[in-house]
Amino acid sequence: MSDALASGLQSAGYHVLTATSAEEGFFLVHNQSPDLLLLDLTLPHRNGLDILRQLRAEGADLRILILTSHNTVEDRVIGLTSGADDYLGKPFSFPELLARIDALLRRYLPVKNDPQLRIGDLALDRRSRTVTRSGESIDLTAREFDLLLYLAENTGRTVSREMLAQDIWRETSRFTPIDNVIDVQIARLRRKIDDPFTIKLLQTVRGLGFRLREPQA
């Protein structure tokens, strides 16, 4: 189910990380600082409510939406009073889940509600997953769009290959190095968003990674 949800949310323009255990989930929350967590209460080896209470006790600054088959009034009260921001029982409709996610992010993250992201004359639309530069449409693959969006959301900051491996390729360990794959994707992205234009936005920071920068005035 998590794979199907991740695929649907990515198609809706969200950057999604998935975890299959409590330990992996804690690692991602503490290292990636997501805006929102979809938490299933039925997890191997540990109850989701324990995870919720621990995250709140630690002061984790993220929205938490519980997805669960435990959906009595008492269950919902316990979940919300334990620190969840919203609660959705299974089975649920995907459009309702999207609406609840949008509402939570709109309530707490008004800036990110804007689907448009601009760096100079480069424009990305998170919802439609489209890209233009100087008004010209640029055709990107799904992976290239995810990569560009990640760089754009970190405009001005250097993004390492390790960050890209974890956040875009979802490789939580580096036992299988994918630096060559990342370099190939960066090269393809550069050919599409930079090569046809005079001002270059995508930089390689030697020994560190990559950076998308605002054009110099």
Side-chain angles (χ1 to χ4, degrees):
M1 182 178 181
S2 65
D3 289 342
L5 276 180
S7 178
L9 291 170
Q10 286 169 342
S11 296
Y14 291 104
H15 178 208
V16 181
L17 302 170
T18 59
T20 56
S21 68
E23 291 73 20
E24 188 180 358
F26 273 113
F27 174 83
L28 291 176
V29 167
H30 289 123
N31 288 280
Q32 305 302 323
S33 302
D35 294 324
L36 185 143
L37 171 66
L38 298 180
L39 177 64
D40 195 323
L41 295 185
T42 306
L43 294 170
H45 311 305
R46 193 164 180 192
N47 186 290
L49 283 176
D50 291 340
I51 297 170
L52 171 63
R53 288 167 179 146
Q54 181 173 342
L55 288 172
R56 288 313 188 207
E58 293 174 349
D61 182 22
L62 79 168
R63 315 285 75 74
I64 299 178
L65 194 166
I66 290 177
L67 295 176
T68 180
S69 57
H70 303 286
N71 197 30
T72 66
V73 172
E74 183 181 11
D75 290 330
R76 294 197 293 274
V77 170
I78 292 173
L80 292 169
T81 55
S82 295
D85 296 289
D86 200 357
Y87 197 107
L88 185 58
K90 299 177 184 177
F92 56 85
S93 72
F94 190 69
E96 182 181 1
L97 175 62
L98 276 183
R100 287 174 181 264
I101 290 173
D102 284 346
L104 281 174
L105 295 180
R106 187 167 58 247
R107 192 182 312 160
Y108 293 100
L109 300 168
V111 173
K112 288 193 175 184
N113 187 48
D114 184 355
Q116 295 287 334
L117 214 169
R118 283 190 166 276
I119 301 92
D121 57 353
L122 179 70
L124 293 81
D125 189 305
R126 294 184 177 95
R127 298 288 176 85
S128 63
R129 294 175 65 82
T130 55
V131 176
T132 61
R133 185 162 183 193
S134 295
E136 297 181 20
S137 178
I138 298 176
D139 185 24
L140 299 182
T141 66
R143 181 71 80 193
E144 289 166 352
F145 182 86
D146 290 342
L147 185 55
L148 180 59
L149 179 60
Y150 189 83
L151 291 164
E153 289 178 336
N154 289 280
T155 297
R157 289 180 283 188
T158 298
V159 173
S160 68
R161 289 178 177 82
E162 185 171 10
M163 292 167 66
L164 294 174
Q166 291 182 355
D167 296 345
I168 304 300
W169 276 264
R170 285 183 274 171
E171 292 285 349
T172 55
S173 72
R174 300 307 305 274
F175 294 117
T176 306
I178 61 169
D179 288 1
N180 289 341
V181 175
I182 293 173
D183 289 347
V184 168
Q185 291 287 340
I186 286 286
R188 289 176 178 169
L189 185 60
R190 179 177 278 121
R191 281 200 294 271
K192 293 183 179 181
I193 68 163
D194 262 353
D195 284 0
F197 302 94
T198 302
I199 297 175
K200 310 305 180 186
L201 302 176
L202 180 55
Q203 293 181 307
T204 297
V205 183
R206 189 183 298 274
L208 296 177
F210 309 96
R211 178 171 58 205
L212 201 64
R213 64 169 187 172
E214 292 280 359
Q216 301 296 314

